[in-house]
Amino acid sequence: MYSFSPKLKSTSIILLVVGLVLFGIGFFLNKGISTERIEQMMEAVHASGHTAPTHSSEMIGPQDHASHLEHAELQIHNQPLASIHFVAVFFFGVSCAVLFFYCIQHAAHAGWPIIITRVMEAIASYIPYGGAILVIIMILNILHQGHLFHWMDPDLTDPDSAHFDVILYEKKRFLNIPFYAIRTLIYVIGASFFAWKLKAQSKKVDETKSLVEYQFLYRWAVGYIAFFGFASAAWAWDWLMSIDPHWYSTMYIWYSMVSCLSSGIAVIILLSVYLKKNGFLPQFNDNHLHDLGVFLFATSMLWTYTWFAQFMLYWYANVPEEVNYFFGRFQHYGVTFLPMLIINFLLPLLVLVSSSIKRNYKVVTVMAIVVILGHLLDYFNMVMPGTVGPYWNTPEVFLLILGAVLFVVGLFIFTVMSALAKLKLIPTGNPFLHESEIYEYPF
């Protein structure tokens, strides 16, 4: 049995509290920004010559000074909700992707990862807590306490309004508040149910050592794979792509999902190595680390493919409504958009391509941390341009993002390690356990 060390527990609580304090300071600083300062910030952006819109709504409706100022006010006051939104969606997606990876192994009757079964179950235990944050964000949005989702403005679908947007009017059968709320609850409740059910069934397999119960575990795993396939696509539309509802990409759902899957494998590596180094999981060896390194390398390359395929097709077509999504990021997010390819593609390619390096605990652990940070930056680039626009490089945003990251990371560590402490680390009832214990990579 793993025992949640007091030092690590204190660290997670400190992260959580410090994150709340920093976020609170950033929130009050943001609320104190006056209209005069917003107008100065807007004029500074326009004077810089970087006038590319970061959101399609900027090209719809009146284009006078008052309208531009109103839009800038909404973007600046979006900073708190946008900061917690991208972090919350990312970590919820990571925990759901880890459960997906777990279910794939069971559905494939894979023997090698059985040793880390409990690691993956513990990470999936974060799902209901991360989902609760997203439900709160959803409630704030539908009560118009934030303006992350432009399509929620009723004036945009009113034919008599000066701000009428015909594209949003045509999309309102899907993009409407009641349906959005129902879908969000389906994602959160559904994923939470599967996390609970799979853990309970895995425990029952341990207690009974019955192949019949293991068959039920296999069936529930297949069920979650189907659920995740549809839900991860739909929440990418709802929580990320609908931030700019004029723009869409058929690659986007895979792009956002693979980002979480790669990060999820990185989290599995970090937790497995931590348990190994502290003597709680001696059965975890170089061969298991090597295979996790293979998956980390493969998903990093898959993410790169989806990023390039999406970018290249849109950029080559050069359709203004589509290219605008990238052009605004080039102008206003140049230090975060393209440089993330170094973190998410180039470093994994150069470091993890060697088979022998994948057995090096220090190198693989460092790369796991790099991948997580890189994909967190990726989610930053997905959310912030369409919600905050060019007004992101301010002290308030720095405090808000740092606070949000520390809070969610603290909550993640606390819930995952608390769940792990309640689990029997070795799944003794699993029929493939022996295969996992003696597993050796054949090359």
Side-chain angles (χ1 to χ4, degrees), residues 392-439:
W392 66 275
N393 51 350
T394 65
E396 296 87 0
V397 174
F398 175 77
L399 289 172
L400 287 164
I401 291 175
L402 182 60
V405 170
L406 292 180
F407 171 76
V408 175
V409 169
L411 179 64
F412 186 83
I413 293 172
F414 186 84
T415 54
V416 169
M417 304 313 279
S418 297
L420 194 63
K422 299 173 185 177
L423 297 171
K424 184 169 67 174
L425 280 183
I426 304 301
T428 53
N430 193 292
F432 295 97
L433 176 61
H434 180 64
E435 179 182 336
S436 185
E437 290 175 327
I438 65 171
Y439 172 70

Side-chain angles (χ1 to χ4, degrees), residues 79-113:
Q79 290 172 356
L81 204 56
S83 299
I84 189 66
H85 179 75
F86 88 85
V87 180
V89 173
F90 176 73
F91 276 93
F92 178 80
V94 165
S95 53
C96 288
V98 168
L99 190 61
F100 172 65
F101 186 74
Y102 166 91
C103 289
I104 286 175
Q105 309 309 318
H106 283 305
H109 295 307
W112 73 270

